[in-house]
Amino acid sequence: MRTTLARSAVTTLTAAAMIAFAGACSPPEKESEAATSKAGTATSAADLGGLDALIAEAKKEGQLNVIALPPDWANYGEIIKAFGTKYGIKVNSAQPDGNSQDEINAATQLKGQDTAPDVFDLGVSVATANTAMFAPYKVEKFADIPDGLKDANGTWVNDYGGYMSIGYDSAKVPAPTSVADLLKAEYKGKVALNGDPTQAGAAFGGVQMASLANGGTVEDITKGVQFFADLKKAGNFLPVDPTSATIESGQTPVVFDWDYLNAAQSKKLPTWKVFVPSDAVLGSYYVQAINKDAPHPAAARLWQEFLYSDEGQNLWLKGGARPVRADAMQKAGTIDATAFAALPAVEGTPVIPTEAQSTKAKEYLTANWAKAIG
């Protein structure tokens, strides 16, 4: 995933129905700071008088709630620390091992409370179904982001991306040369998928990659689901959600995951290698958005400004992820050239699913995954 992702795929998200908030029986709450803050409706820093004014408002709030951001996922541990140190804002990180759907569930369940998520980092399929929960906002670097990778109003913006890969412990299994190799006896009880593909973007991408490798498409993933059914039948599919601990202990010696996540494991386990099949180069970006009911609306918007700044983008790059502003930063000479050059080499033609393709694939997956794997 160390070559720039193709920019041709347009990931326009469709608006979903507004989630109703049933609070009629709840006791009256004290009006929150978010309810009285102009930041809650600001669509750019200019609406508040500029970036300095936004920073001042965010410092008054003093906190930011993030969710489902593992410290070793795209370097989020360092990103969170850098943001907190730079602005003196306490970052509350909830459910670091959660998935995209957990983020939406938390925002719905905690609506109106100070502990609700301020911001989201979502897989495309979950983001697509929940755009009514997002607040439009354009960061100062908004023009640097390719049109196909953002909503025109800033309701959602792609943030960082990568390629689906197969990570494996070279000390425990032979190096795979194709997705099909994983059906061989040498991989019995050793192949894991990062999460439930009906809820987690990384696992969903794994099924789409398997589909491509078996002659299917990212839209019609019948062959991808069948591959994992065959993998289970062969006794090779391991129903364990992989973590750094399971990888280091040897419990999950083969893992379908984004290349930047698999690459991060190599720093902890030198024998861990990353393989992107040339006939199944699946690329994808995650989606960044602000919770329209964010309890800390200024901090939420400042977080976005930080993430899309050169500093924030290079911190994602340091974690092995491809920042969405990479092209513009290369031209401006502001990209971390060493980190960019260190990205894993990828051969083949990248396929980046559109929103419509992923939606259709998700519908089939939801209806058939449990039957295939259960």
Side-chain angles (χ1 to χ4, degrees), residues 172-241:
K172 292 184 167 57
V173 296
T177 59
S178 68
V179 172
D181 278 355
L182 301 182
L183 292 168
K184 295 178 178 179
E186 295 93 323
Y187 299 94
K188 193 172 185 67
K190 292 180 168 63
V191 185
L193 189 59
N194 188 2
D196 177 348
T198 65
Q199 299 185 40
F204 178 57
V207 179
Q208 285 185 305
M209 182 177 81
S211 177
L212 290 174
N214 285 278
T217 67
V218 294
E219 181 176 13
D220 180 0
I221 59 169
T222 307
K223 292 184 178 180
V225 173
Q226 185 59 51
F227 170 79
F228 280 97
D230 292 342
L231 202 65
K232 183 182 180 184
K233 186 177 180 180
N236 294 11
F237 185 62
L238 185 62
V240 174
D241 199 358

Side-chain angles (χ1 to χ4, degrees), residues 20-29 111:
F21 176 49
C25 298
S26 301
E29 295 185 4
K111 183 176 179 180

Side-chain angles (χ1 to χ4, degrees), residues 1 3-12 124 146 148-149 156 158 160-164 204-205 208-209 212 217-219 258 280-286 322 324 327 346 348-358:
M1 181 184 167
T3 56
T4 304
L5 290 176
R7 306 298 186 183
S8 59
V10 179
T11 53
T12 305
V124 173
L149 301 177
W156 60 268
N158 288 135
Y160 58 87
Y163 293 111
M164 184 50 56
F204 178 57
Q208 285 185 305
M209 182 177 81
L212 290 174
T217 67
V218 294
E219 181 176 13
W258 298 116
V281 184
L282 178 82
S284 181
Y285 281 93
Y286 273 78
R322 299 170 190 274
V324 75
D327 288 350
V346 173
T349 304
V351 176
I352 301 180
T354 65
E355 177 272 329
Q357 289 173 322
S358 289

Side-chain angles (χ1 to χ4, degrees), residues 305-341:
E305 294 287 358
F306 179 75
L307 293 180
Y308 290 96
S309 69
D310 290 346
E311 182 179 359
Q313 295 278 287
N314 276 323
L315 283 172
W316 268 325
L317 179 58
K318 184 178 178 181
R322 299 170 190 274
V324 75
R325 289 185 52 235
D327 288 350
M329 290 170 65
Q330 274 187 292
K331 292 177 182 176
T334 58
I335 200 163
D336 183 335
T338 301
F340 195 67

Side-chain angles (χ1 to χ4, degrees), residues 29-35 61 63-66 90 92 94 106-107 109-118 291 293-297:
E29 295 185 4
K30 177 183 177 182
E31 187 173 30
S32 69
E33 188 173 357
E61 294 174 353
Q63 297 189 63
L64 172 76
N65 297 338
V66 301
K90 180 183 178 183
N92 305 306
Q109 294 160 6
L110 298 173
K111 183 176 179 180
Q113 300 181 40
D114 287 341
T115 53
D118 287 306
N291 182 0
D293 296 309
H296 310 105

